[in-house]
Amino acid sequence: MTELRPQTAARPNRVTGVGRLLIAVYGVLALAATGRSFVQIVGKYDQAPLAYSLSALAAVVYIVATVALVNRGRGWYRTAWITITFELLGVLVIGTLSLVDPALFPHDTVWSVFGRGYLFIPLALPILGMWWLARHPVAGVEPVTSDS
């Protein structure tokens, strides 16, 4: 005898395949950036307050992005787009400034030289995150683009 189970309208899960890897990397980067900024701020904040504050900001961005990528719904989807876009802008601006005027950053931040201290993962990650979000939209929500 075959048992019939009621069909449930399960929402598609964005956390599959590459999405799981992406979220895992965001989570690891969130932990690394948080730990780094904590040690920097507690131990030697007076040596490079701007750099260490930016590392703390990067940590917060990675934490929020990780949470937003894991959760479903329109609000989380938009939050993921906003944080990942901010992350990319941060990496590009801080990366460029750290090359053009190294005196601004006497000590590295997570985003210095486009994330060189993290094997350039901070540069590649938001690009991959945006690609993944665009490929896995939430119903009724348009991906955030420069045209919006």
Side-chain angles (χ1 to χ4, degrees):
M1 176 179 238
T2 306
E3 182 180 324
L4 297 176
R5 294 183 181 157
Q7 294 292 324
T8 59
R11 296 187 324 204
N13 188 357
R14 291 183 305 145
V15 186
T16 60
V18 174
R20 286 185 186 180
L21 178 61
L22 185 69
I23 291 167
V25 173
Y26 263 103
V28 169
L29 206 52
L31 288 172
T34 301
R36 177 183 185 149
S37 65
F38 178 78
V39 168
Q40 290 172 328
I41 289 171
V42 168
K44 48 190 176 179
Y45 184 76
D46 58 327
Q47 294 176 17
L50 177 61
Y52 299 156
S53 296
L54 287 171
S55 285
L57 175 63
V60 171
V61 169
Y62 290 128
I63 291 167
V64 174
T66 303
V67 171
L69 288 169
V70 168
N71 288 295
R72 294 190 266 180
R74 291 179 185 186
W76 287 114
Y77 183 77
R78 288 186 190 277
T79 301
W81 268 107
I82 292 166
T83 54
I84 292 172
T85 300
F86 181 84
E87 171 196 0
L88 180 59
L89 290 173
V91 171
L92 294 175
V93 170
I94 301 306
T96 301
L97 287 174
S98 64
L99 290 173
V100 172
D101 190 0
L104 283 174
F105 304 99
H107 296 221
D108 282 346
T109 73
V110 174
W111 294 337
S112 292
V113 193
F114 306 105
R116 176 180 60 193
Y118 288 87
L119 304 172
F120 300 100
I121 291 170
L123 178 61
L125 198 58
I127 296 166
L128 292 172
M130 289 174 164
W131 168 81
W132 187 68
L133 285 169
R135 301 268 308 175
H136 298 87
V138 172
V141 178
E142 293 296 319
V144 177
T145 63
S146 59
D147 299 338
S148 299

